[in-house]
Amino acid sequence: MKQSPLHPVNKSSENAAQEFEQHAINRVLGGDSSAFEDLVKRYEKPIVNYIFRFIQHYEESLDISQEVFMKAYYALNTYNSAFRFSTWLYRIARNTAIDSMRKKQLNLRSIDEPQTSQDREMFYQLPTTDASPEARLRNREFVQNFQEAVQELPEEYREVITMRHINHCSYLEIAEICQIPIGTVKNRIFRGRELLRKRVEDKI
Amino acid sequence: MDCICTELNVILYIEKELPETEMLQMEQHFAHCAHCRHLLAQHRMVRLTLERASGIQVPADFSARVMAGLPSPYHRFLTTAREKIIAAAAAIVMVSLGVFTYLIGSLGQNFGSPLSLQWWNRVLVQTFTLAVDTFIVISDLVGILVSVALFLGQGLAFVMETLGRLLLYSPHGLATLCLSLAIFLASLSLTKRYGHARTLRTAQPGRQQR
């Protein structure tokens, strides 16, 4: 399984990551704003991905992510270091995304519409590897169908699947961010994967 | 087909979330059930594809964009208890100084040199008068609040008395009283239950456990 630097399984590297974050936070609170960039770089991809699952619009997701980091910056003195920083940040991201959806009444994009932005393609980028266990993984059509199937999932499943499999959050962390019991988290992930398998099978 | 493999069980098997005995049963079943092997392969593929997906890409200048919108250095205002105490002490000192200089300024014109005994005597009297006036104002405010509370109390007593008369003298008074008490207790317990749950959820956003 690919390890994310954000959520390492190794306990010592996890502690090191938390120490790094706490050090950066202390520097920011001490007046060194530039230290906040370390935190932004660490979390920009997970946060943008997470928000994209709600908004389904690339540029809008970037704008909202930027707003999330701004909010986190201004509220940094209220962050309690007894808790995990990532959980706190995801909570801000979740609330901001939901508020934004309510305010702007965003029109969700059709899944048939190509998700491109000026000069780049987005979404899943499966790494090509010679040791790939399945020939289908190398198949571009399969990848396209798969990402469409993910987009078609109900929001509650898509959110937890993104957090678990793309952002590599633990079940407990997802439960705390979404404020649902851990059993519900697992249930949604497994149910989402069932739906995903069925939809991928239908499409192929 | 007599399959023990539900779709959920296959996922739980992949995630190693089944008890050891059931894991072994599943393995034995996969050995001779092509349908379940196919299901297993498909779910493994779904998991692998999800795990390998790198998600959407973020522009290289994203963090620079965020940083450009932030003020420098970090702005904060009275965030710690110590800072708040210092600020409160500073405010008290400033107010005291203001009152003192006001008294000196107003008295200086009428009572000559501040080096004289008369001047200091006058300052003390003025300060005492000011303190008494402040106390009177505060007492008046408290008096108004007490009056309002008494008025409300009397109103409440009147309502209770009327209610009591109605309950006791009506034919089903006792039954109505018991019913009202039951509804009150039920609503109290419900409020406690859900209020407590909400407090817990908001108070513990993300302990450091995995």
Side-chain angles (χ1 to χ4, degrees):
Chain A
M1 184 178 124
K2 188 177 70 176
Q3 289 304 317
S4 158
L6 178 59
H7 296 286
V9 169
N10 185 307
K11 202 78 182 170
S12 61
S13 60
E14 188 182 341
N15 289 339
Q18 282 176 6
E19 274 174 30
F20 171 83
E21 284 169 10
Q22 194 53 53
H23 179 64
I25 290 164
N26 291 341
R27 276 173 60 202
V28 176
L29 293 176
D32 179 10
S33 293
S34 64
F36 192 69
E37 193 163 7
D38 294 340
L39 295 170
V40 177
K41 281 182 176 162
R42 197 178 192 85
Y43 286 102
E44 59 184 12
K45 200 172 168 185
I47 292 295
V48 171
N49 269 281
Y50 178 62
I51 287 175
F52 183 80
R53 300 300 145 191
F54 284 100
I55 306 294
Q56 300 196 30
H57 186 285
Y58 183 68
E59 300 296 342
E60 197 76 41
S61 303
L62 289 179
D63 288 346
I64 294 170
S65 302
Q66 196 168 343
E67 193 185 332
V68 168
F69 283 110
M70 301 280 273
K71 280 184 179 175
Y73 179 84
Y74 284 110
L76 204 57
N77 52 30
T78 64
Y79 164 66
N80 182 351
S81 59
F83 303 119
R84 189 181 280 275
F85 178 73
S86 58
T87 308
W88 183 73
L89 193 61
Y90 273 118
R91 288 285 291 276
I92 295 175
R94 190 171 202 268
N95 292 337
T96 310
I98 291 170
D99 284 350
S100 176
M101 284 165 75
R102 279 190 195 138
K103 276 182 202 163
K104 295 179 183 173
Q105 295 285 311
L106 284 174
N107 295 319
L108 299 186
R109 279 197 172 190
S110 160
I111 54 163
D112 300 325
E113 192 177 340
Q115 299 283 330
T116 55
S117 172
Q118 292 175 354
D119 58 348
R120 68 182 155 258
E121 283 210 331
M122 297 165 304
F123 281 59
Y124 291 95
Q125 296 195 349
L126 299 179
T128 52
T129 165
D130 292 335
S132 172
E134 300 288 337
R136 280 172 171 177
L137 287 182
R138 291 194 292 270
N139 186 320
R140 190 178 172 79
E141 194 184 354
F142 169 76
V143 171
Q144 202 174 351
N145 286 330
F146 190 85
Q147 63 196 33
E148 279 178 9
V150 173
Q151 297 307 310
E152 284 170 10
L153 284 176
E155 189 183 297
E156 66 210 49
Y157 297 147
R158 201 169 59 231
E159 181 187 14
V160 289
I161 282 183
T162 302
M163 293 182 82
R164 177 66 184 164
H165 293 294
I166 297 183
N167 291 354
H168 303 281
C169 293
S170 68
Y171 292 129
L172 182 67
E173 203 171 359
I174 299 169
E176 283 165 348
I177 293 162
C178 300
Q179 295 184 312
I180 50 177
I182 205 161
T184 311
V185 172
K186 286 185 181 181
N187 188 38
R188 285 185 187 175
I189 289 172
F190 299 155
R191 181 86 188 104
R193 275 165 58 176
E194 269 182 48
L195 284 175
L196 208 51
R197 186 200 67 79
K198 281 172 190 157
R199 288 184 184 181
V200 168
E201 194 177 46
D202 291 346
K203 281 173 186 285
I204 295 172
Chain B
M1 193 189 308
D2 185 26
C3 271
I4 59 163
C5 298
T6 61
E7 194 143 3
L8 179 62
N9 273 351
V10 172
I11 297 173
L12 290 173
Y13 172 80
I14 292 171
E15 296 297 325
K16 297 183 174 61
E17 298 236 355
L18 286 173
E20 204 172 332
T21 50
E22 286 182 39
M23 290 287 285
L24 283 171
Q25 276 181 350
M26 294 283 283
E27 271 168 26
Q28 286 164 2
H29 181 76
F30 288 136
H32 57 78
C33 179
H35 169 76
C36 290
R37 272 203 307 277
H38 175 68
L39 205 60
L40 179 68
Q42 281 194 326
H43 271 296
R44 278 189 169 148
M45 181 189 66
V46 165
R47 192 185 196 282
L48 194 67
T49 312
L50 281 169
E51 293 297 329
R52 290 195 167 193
S54 59
I56 56 168
Q57 299 303 303
V58 177
D61 64 341
F62 179 81
S63 61
R65 263 196 263 171
V66 173
M67 294 309 289
L70 300 179
S72 182
Y74 187 75
H75 292 292
R76 56 187 188 148
F77 183 69
L78 301 181
T79 52
T80 64
R82 191 181 170 192
E83 286 170 351
K84 284 173 187 166
I85 290 167
I86 291 171
I92 290 167
V93 168
M94 292 301 288
V95 169
S96 307
L97 270 175
V99 170
F100 188 66
T101 49
Y102 167 76
L103 290 172
I104 288 176
S106 63
L107 294 173
Q109 294 167 354
N110 303 325
F111 298 100
S113 168
L115 296 174
S116 66
L117 191 64
Q118 189 197 11
W119 189 91
W120 280 101
N121 186 32
R122 192 67 189 160
V123 166
L124 280 173
V125 169
Q126 284 284 333
T127 310
F128 182 72
T129 311
L130 191 68
V132 170
D133 286 348
T134 311
F135 178 75
I136 289 168
V137 169
I138 291 169
S139 304
D140 286 348
L141 285 173
V142 171
I144 291 168
L145 286 174
V146 169
S147 303
V148 171
L150 280 172
F151 178 74
L152 289 175
Q154 278 179 347
L156 190 66
F158 175 74
V159 171
M160 293 292 281
E161 191 184 341
T162 313
L163 198 66
R165 281 175 193 278
L166 279 171
L167 289 172
L168 289 174
Y169 294 114
S170 66
H172 304 293
L174 196 61
T176 315
L177 182 67
C178 291
L179 198 63
S180 307
L181 270 174
I183 291 170
F184 173 73
L185 289 173
S187 63
L188 199 69
S189 72
L190 279 175
T191 314
K192 253 189 173 177
R193 190 184 214 175
Y194 291 108
H196 181 61
R198 193 164 53 247
T199 313
L200 272 182
R201 275 209 298 276
T202 48
Q204 298 182 345
R207 285 207 171 280
Q208 284 185 341
Q209 296 162 3
R210 288 183 75 84

